[in-house]
Amino acid sequence: MSEAAPNPATPRPALLSFLGGVGTVTGSKFLVESDHARILLDCGLFQGFATLRRRNRERFARDAADVDAVVVTHAHLDHCGYLPRLVRQGFRGPILTSAHTARLAGIVLRDSARLQMEAARHADEHGWSKHRPAKPLYDDSDVEKTLAFLDPVPVGEEVEIMAGTRLTLHHGGHILGSAWVHLTLEDGHTLATSGDLGRPGHPLLPPPEPFSGADTLLMESTYGDRHHDQEWSPPTAIATTTRSPPGRLDGRRTPLRGGRPGPLRQALRPTGASCAALALPPGARESVREGLEDTMSTTRLPDDLLPRVGAESLAYAR
């Protein structure tokens, strides 16, 4: 008795390819390919050592024009920074993300393009690029084209990406707009990817929503081998950085007394500098701002510590 021929109407299982975020914690790109859809989950830059950064120059592993849609979990460069490069190579589909991430991505990607262009000018001046003139990874025009494809979707509501493929975003609690992703594929199978997850107790963000189940789970495991300090708070961290141990935080404006200089002052002392600039990504800025406001209402910070944080991101956060 011969075996029945497979039903051509039955969808085949989707194929999952890891194009980044493997062997390193940056460059997150996970491609889901089914019979009728090709969805890229996150589209991040490789960062860190030169060997990693050079991978950003390589052509995308598939024909970019064949990718139907990109889903972005949040606006950090290692999750969205490759988008202009993908658009330059022919991607023309929707970039699905939360409304807050869409707005932050504009800030982050324009800043990234500026840095890429500055690096190219520096390479021309000092002759360390093999290209004449040096070529930025992408430029302002690439970013503006990319932003036109951003398609914000509401968090917590299921939307259909294409026939049979549905997407739901859930609060991730990592930075403004961050989400974890739940996909329902055309064969009925489900896949979830965590993006980067935050923790409860953030002063501005809702806590990450509990995982609701999926057939396949992609989990970012950067901090998978450690526990968060349950006692951590922005005021305590700031006071400890400037002087250790901190003075009383008892509701009164109490000067920091006693103890040795904290890590920040110890680092500045041999340089003779009187101030330090902190380079913070979106999300961290808001936490530091909130923590500084709280700390300055209860604790007198050293006179030489003048906090300044990214105004554009903070203006939006407010």
Side-chain angles (χ1 to χ4, degrees), residues 27-49:
S28 294
K29 300 181 194 71
F30 310 112
L31 185 65
V32 181
E33 298 172 276
S34 64
D35 282 344
H36 301 104
R38 183 172 283 179
I39 312 297
L40 183 64
L41 303 175
D42 277 334
C43 190
L45 278 183
F46 290 104
Q47 297 175 294
F49 296 114

PDB file of all heavy atoms in Angstrom, residues 27-49:
ATOM      1  N   GLY A  27      24.372  42.514  17.993  1.00  0.00           N
ATOM      2  CA  GLY A  27      24.003  42.133  16.634  1.00  0.00           C
ATOM      3  C   GLY A  27      22.789  41.231  16.541  1.00  0.00           C
ATOM      4  O   GLY A  27      22.681  40.425  15.612  1.00  0.00           O
ATOM      5  N   SER A  28      21.840  41.373  17.448  1.00  0.00           N
ATOM      6  CA  SER A  28      20.680  40.480  17.480  1.00  0.00           C
ATOM      7  C   SER A  28      19.912  40.511  16.162  1.00  0.00           C
ATOM      8  O   SER A  28      19.453  41.563  15.723  1.00  0.00           O
ATOM      9  CB  SER A  28      19.750  40.881  18.632  1.00  0.00           C
ATOM     10  OG  SER A  28      20.375  40.663  19.877  1.00  0.00           O
ATOM     11  N   LYS A  29      19.798  39.332  15.546  1.00  0.00           N
ATOM     12  CA  LYS A  29      19.020  39.174  14.305  1.00  0.00           C
ATOM     13  C   LYS A  29      18.577  37.715  14.249  1.00  0.00           C
ATOM     14  O   LYS A  29      19.406  36.816  14.133  1.00  0.00           O
ATOM     15  CB  LYS A  29      19.848  39.473  13.053  1.00  0.00           C
ATOM     16  CG  LYS A  29      20.431  40.857  12.947  1.00  0.00           C
ATOM     17  CD  LYS A  29      21.199  40.996  11.629  1.00  0.00           C
ATOM     18  CE  LYS A  29      22.086  42.193  11.589  1.00  0.00           C
ATOM     19  NZ  LYS A  29      23.274  42.048  12.492  1.00  0.00           N
ATOM     20  N   PHE A  30      17.255  37.489  14.294  1.00  0.00           N
ATOM     21  CA  PHE A  30      16.720  36.127  14.230  1.00  0.00           C
ATOM     22  C   PHE A  30      15.702  36.090  13.100  1.00  0.00           C
ATOM     23  O   PHE A  30      14.703  36.813  13.118  1.00  0.00           O
ATOM     24  CB  PHE A  30      16.068  35.741  15.560  1.00  0.00           C
ATOM     25  CG  PHE A  30      16.957  36.007  16.750  1.00  0.00           C
ATOM     26  CD1 PHE A  30      16.623  36.987  17.664  1.00  0.00           C
ATOM     27  CD2 PHE A  30      18.131  35.307  16.938  1.00  0.00           C
ATOM     28  CE1 PHE A  30      17.432  37.251  18.752  1.00  0.00           C
ATOM     29  CE2 PHE A  30      18.962  35.565  18.018  1.00  0.00           C
ATOM     30  CZ  PHE A  30      18.614  36.545  18.931  1.00  0.00           C
ATOM     31  N   LEU A  31      15.952  35.241  12.111  1.00  0.00           N
ATOM     32  CA  LEU A  31      15.110  35.206  10.917  1.00  0.00           C
ATOM     33  C   LEU A  31      14.180  34.001  10.983  1.00  0.00           C
ATOM     34  O   LEU A  31      14.620  32.863  11.160  1.00  0.00           O
ATOM     35  CB  LEU A  31      15.978  35.131   9.661  1.00  0.00           C
ATOM     36  CG  LEU A  31      15.241  35.213   8.324  1.00  0.00           C
ATOM     37  CD1 LEU A  31      14.570  36.579   8.159  1.00  0.00           C
ATOM     38  CD2 LEU A  31      16.198  34.949   7.161  1.00  0.00           C
ATOM     39  N   VAL A  32      12.870  34.253  10.840  1.00  0.00           N
ATOM     40  CA  VAL A  32      11.853  33.203  10.819  1.00  0.00           C
ATOM     41  C   VAL A  32      11.308  33.123   9.401  1.00  0.00           C
ATOM     42  O   VAL A  32      10.760  34.108   8.874  1.00  0.00           O
ATOM     43  CB  VAL A  32      10.714  33.518  11.816  1.00  0.00           C
ATOM     44  CG1 VAL A  32       9.683  32.395  11.789  1.00  0.00           C
ATOM     45  CG2 VAL A  32      11.266  33.706  13.221  1.00  0.00           C
ATOM     46  N   GLU A  33      11.441  31.943   8.769  1.00  0.00           N
ATOM     47  CA  GLU A  33      11.022  31.758   7.379  1.00  0.00           C
ATOM     48  C   GLU A  33       9.989  30.640   7.300  1.00  0.00           C
ATOM     49  O   GLU A  33      10.263  29.500   7.684  1.00  0.00           O
ATOM     50  CB  GLU A  33      12.214  31.418   6.498  1.00  0.00           C
ATOM     51  CG  GLU A  33      13.285  32.505   6.446  1.00  0.00           C
ATOM     52  CD  GLU A  33      14.541  32.053   5.731  1.00  0.00           C
ATOM     53  OE1 GLU A  33      15.396  31.410   6.382  1.00  0.00           O
ATOM     54  OE2 GLU A  33      14.667  32.335   4.526  1.00  0.00           O
ATOM     55  N   SER A  34       8.811  30.975   6.827  1.00  0.00           N
ATOM     56  CA  SER A  34       7.771  29.975   6.588  1.00  0.00           C
ATOM     57  C   SER A  34       7.459  29.945   5.094  1.00  0.00           C
ATOM     58  O   SER A  34       8.141  30.587   4.296  1.00  0.00           O
ATOM     59  CB  SER A  34       6.519  30.319   7.404  1.00  0.00           C
ATOM     60  OG  SER A  34       5.968  31.553   6.958  1.00  0.00           O
ATOM     61  N   ASP A  35       6.418  29.202   4.726  1.00  0.00           N
ATOM     62  CA  ASP A  35       6.092  29.096   3.295  1.00  0.00           C
ATOM     63  C   ASP A  35       5.769  30.444   2.673  1.00  0.00           C
ATOM     64  O   ASP A  35       6.084  30.691   1.507  1.00  0.00           O
ATOM     65  CB  ASP A  35       4.892  28.152   3.111  1.00  0.00           C
ATOM     66  CG  ASP A  35       5.294  26.687   3.213  1.00  0.00           C
ATOM     67  OD1 ASP A  35       6.504  26.404   3.122  1.00  0.00           O
ATOM     68  OD2 ASP A  35       4.406  25.838   3.409  1.00  0.00           O
ATOM     69  N   HIS A  36       5.136  31.331   3.446  1.00  0.00           N
ATOM     70  CA  HIS A  36       4.639  32.573   2.855  1.00  0.00           C
ATOM     71  C   HIS A  36       5.130  33.825   3.562  1.00  0.00           C
ATOM     72  O   HIS A  36       4.680  34.928   3.247  1.00  0.00           O
ATOM     73  CB  HIS A  36       3.106  32.569   2.840  1.00  0.00           C
ATOM     74  CG  HIS A  36       2.509  31.435   2.079  1.00  0.00           C
ATOM     75  ND1 HIS A  36       1.936  30.339   2.686  1.00  0.00           N
ATOM     76  CD2 HIS A  36       2.431  31.205   0.743  1.00  0.00           C
ATOM     77  CE1 HIS A  36       1.520  29.489   1.763  1.00  0.00           C
ATOM     78  NE2 HIS A  36       1.809  29.987   0.576  1.00  0.00           N
ATOM     79  N   ALA A  37       6.017  33.685   4.523  1.00  0.00           N
ATOM     80  CA  ALA A  37       6.478  34.865   5.264  1.00  0.00           C
ATOM     81  C   ALA A  37       7.944  34.701   5.646  1.00  0.00           C
ATOM     82  O   ALA A  37       8.406  33.606   5.966  1.00  0.00           O
ATOM     83  CB  ALA A  37       5.626  35.084   6.510  1.00  0.00           C
ATOM     84  N   ARG A  38       8.637  35.818   5.606  1.00  0.00           N
ATOM     85  CA  ARG A  38      10.033  35.869   6.065  1.00  0.00           C
ATOM     86  C   ARG A  38      10.128  37.078   7.002  1.00  0.00           C
ATOM     87  O   ARG A  38      10.129  38.226   6.554  1.00  0.00           O
ATOM     88  CB  ARG A  38      10.984  35.995   4.875  1.00  0.00           C
ATOM     89  CG  ARG A  38      12.454  35.984   5.248  1.00  0.00           C
ATOM     90  CD  ARG A  38      13.333  35.915   4.004  1.00  0.00           C
ATOM     91  NE  ARG A  38      13.372  34.571   3.442  1.00  0.00           N
ATOM     92  CZ  ARG A  38      14.042  34.233   2.345  1.00  0.00           C
ATOM     93  NH1 ARG A  38      14.695  35.155   1.666  1.00  0.00           N
ATOM     94  NH2 ARG A  38      14.045  32.987   1.913  1.00  0.00           N
ATOM     95  N   ILE A  39      10.199  36.816   8.308  1.00  0.00           N
ATOM     96  CA  ILE A  39      10.138  37.844   9.346  1.00  0.00           C
ATOM     97  C   ILE A  39      11.473  37.889  10.082  1.00  0.00           C
ATOM     98  O   ILE A  39      11.961  36.863  10.561  1.00  0.00           O
ATOM     99  CB  ILE A  39       9.009  37.557  10.365  1.00  0.00           C
ATOM    100  CG1 ILE A  39       7.693  37.234   9.652  1.00  0.00           C
ATOM    101  CG2 ILE A  39       8.868  38.719  11.339  1.00  0.00           C
ATOM    102  CD1 ILE A  39       7.151  38.345   8.822  1.00  0.00           C
ATOM    103  N   LEU A  40      12.047  39.082  10.177  1.00  0.00           N
ATOM    104  CA  LEU A  40      13.293  39.272  10.926  1.00  0.00           C
ATOM    105  C   LEU A  40      12.959  39.850  12.300  1.00  0.00           C
ATOM    106  O   LEU A  40      12.312  40.904  12.403  1.00  0.00           O
ATOM    107  CB  LEU A  40      14.232  40.212  10.172  1.00  0.00           C
ATOM    108  CG  LEU A  40      15.613  40.460  10.799  1.00  0.00           C
ATOM    109  CD1 LEU A  40      16.423  39.167  10.848  1.00  0.00           C
ATOM    110  CD2 LEU A  40      16.369  41.535  10.016  1.00  0.00           C
ATOM    111  N   LEU A  41      13.375  39.159  13.346  1.00  0.00           N
ATOM    112  CA  LEU A  41      13.177  39.621  14.716  1.00  0.00           C
ATOM    113  C   LEU A  41      14.440  40.329  15.175  1.00  0.00           C
ATOM    114  O   LEU A  41      15.492  39.703  15.324  1.00  0.00           O
ATOM    115  CB  LEU A  41      12.864  38.438  15.638  1.00  0.00           C
ATOM    116  CG  LEU A  41      11.641  37.596  15.246  1.00  0.00           C
ATOM    117  CD1 LEU A  41      11.499  36.388  16.166  1.00  0.00           C
ATOM    118  CD2 LEU A  41      10.376  38.441  15.255  1.00  0.00           C
ATOM    119  N   ASP A  42      14.353  41.617  15.371  1.00  0.00           N
ATOM    120  CA  ASP A  42      15.454  42.514  15.705  1.00  0.00           C
ATOM    121  C   ASP A  42      16.455  42.612  14.551  1.00  0.00           C
ATOM    122  O   ASP A  42      16.573  41.713  13.715  1.00  0.00           O
ATOM    123  CB  ASP A  42      16.155  42.126  17.011  1.00  0.00           C
ATOM    124  CG  ASP A  42      15.419  42.663  18.227  1.00  0.00           C
ATOM    125  OD1 ASP A  42      14.717  43.680  18.095  1.00  0.00           O
ATOM    126  OD2 ASP A  42      15.549  42.078  19.319  1.00  0.00           O
ATOM    127  N   CYS A  43      17.163  43.726  14.537  1.00  0.00           N
ATOM    128  CA  CYS A  43      18.068  44.023  13.417  1.00  0.00           C
ATOM    129  C   CYS A  43      19.205  44.884  13.964  1.00  0.00           C
ATOM    130  O   CYS A  43      19.322  46.067  13.648  1.00  0.00           O
ATOM    131  CB  CYS A  43      17.292  44.741  12.307  1.00  0.00           C
ATOM    132  SG  CYS A  43      18.207  44.922  10.761  1.00  0.00           S
ATOM    133  N   GLY A  44      20.046  44.266  14.812  1.00  0.00           N
ATOM    134  CA  GLY A  44      21.024  45.022  15.569  1.00  0.00           C
ATOM    135  C   GLY A  44      22.412  45.064  14.960  1.00  0.00           C
ATOM    136  O   GLY A  44      22.801  44.214  14.153  1.00  0.00           O
ATOM    137  N   LEU A  45      23.169  46.080  15.392  1.00  0.00           N
ATOM    138  CA  LEU A  45      24.580  46.198  15.023  1.00  0.00           C
ATOM    139  C   LEU A  45      25.435  45.303  15.908  1.00  0.00           C
ATOM    140  O   LEU A  45      25.166  45.149  17.106  1.00  0.00           O
ATOM    141  CB  LEU A  45      25.064  47.638  15.211  1.00  0.00           C
ATOM    142  CG  LEU A  45      24.805  48.684  14.134  1.00  0.00           C
ATOM    143  CD1 LEU A  45      25.454  49.994  14.552  1.00  0.00           C
ATOM    144  CD2 LEU A  45      25.331  48.233  12.783  1.00  0.00           C
ATOM    145  N   PHE A  46      26.491  44.755  15.326  1.00  0.00           N
ATOM    146  CA  PHE A  46      27.539  44.147  16.130  1.00  0.00           C
ATOM    147  C   PHE A  46      28.379  45.272  16.724  1.00  0.00           C
ATOM    148  O   PHE A  46      28.724  46.241  16.043  1.00  0.00           O
ATOM    149  CB  PHE A  46      28.419  43.235  15.279  1.00  0.00           C
ATOM    150  CG  PHE A  46      27.737  41.976  14.819  1.00  0.00           C
ATOM    151  CD1 PHE A  46      27.294  41.844  13.517  1.00  0.00           C
ATOM    152  CD2 PHE A  46      27.532  40.933  15.706  1.00  0.00           C
ATOM    153  CE1 PHE A  46      26.653  40.687  13.095  1.00  0.00           C
ATOM    154  CE2 PHE A  46      26.892  39.767  15.297  1.00  0.00           C
ATOM    155  CZ  PHE A  46      26.452  39.642  13.985  1.00  0.00           C
ATOM    156  N   GLN A  47      28.714  45.154  17.984  1.00  0.00           N
ATOM    157  CA  GLN A  47      29.499  46.173  18.675  1.00  0.00           C
ATOM    158  C   GLN A  47      30.636  45.516  19.447  1.00  0.00           C
ATOM    159  O   GLN A  47      30.601  44.323  19.732  1.00  0.00           O
ATOM    160  CB  GLN A  47      28.597  46.966  19.637  1.00  0.00           C
ATOM    161  CG  GLN A  47      27.500  47.745  18.942  1.00  0.00           C
ATOM    162  CD  GLN A  47      26.551  48.412  19.912  1.00  0.00           C
ATOM    163  OE1 GLN A  47      25.816  47.765  20.636  1.00  0.00           O
ATOM    164  NE2 GLN A  47      26.573  49.744  19.949  1.00  0.00           N
ATOM    165  N   GLY A  48      31.641  46.321  19.783  1.00  0.00           N
ATOM    166  CA  GLY A  48      32.752  45.798  20.573  1.00  0.00           C
ATOM    167  C   GLY A  48      34.037  45.761  19.771  1.00  0.00           C
ATOM    168  O   GLY A  48      34.431  46.756  19.145  1.00  0.00           O
ATOM    169  N   PHE A  49      34.698  44.607  19.756  1.00  0.00           N
ATOM    170  CA  PHE A  49      35.985  44.469  19.083  1.00  0.00           C
ATOM    171  C   PHE A  49      35.859  44.693  17.578  1.00  0.00           C
ATOM    172  O   PHE A  49      34.785  44.492  16.994  1.00  0.00           O
ATOM    173  CB  PHE A  49      36.586  43.084  19.349  1.00  0.00           C
ATOM    174  CG  PHE A  49      36.923  42.824  20.783  1.00  0.00           C
ATOM    175  CD1 PHE A  49      36.251  41.848  21.509  1.00  0.00           C
ATOM    176  CD2 PHE A  49      37.907  43.565  21.427  1.00  0.00           C
ATOM    177  CE1 PHE A  49      36.557  41.606  22.835  1.00  0.00           C
ATOM    178  CE2 PHE A  49      38.229  43.333  22.750  1.00  0.00           C
ATOM    179  CZ  PHE A  49      37.542  42.352  23.465  1.00  0.00           C
TER     180      PHE A  49
END
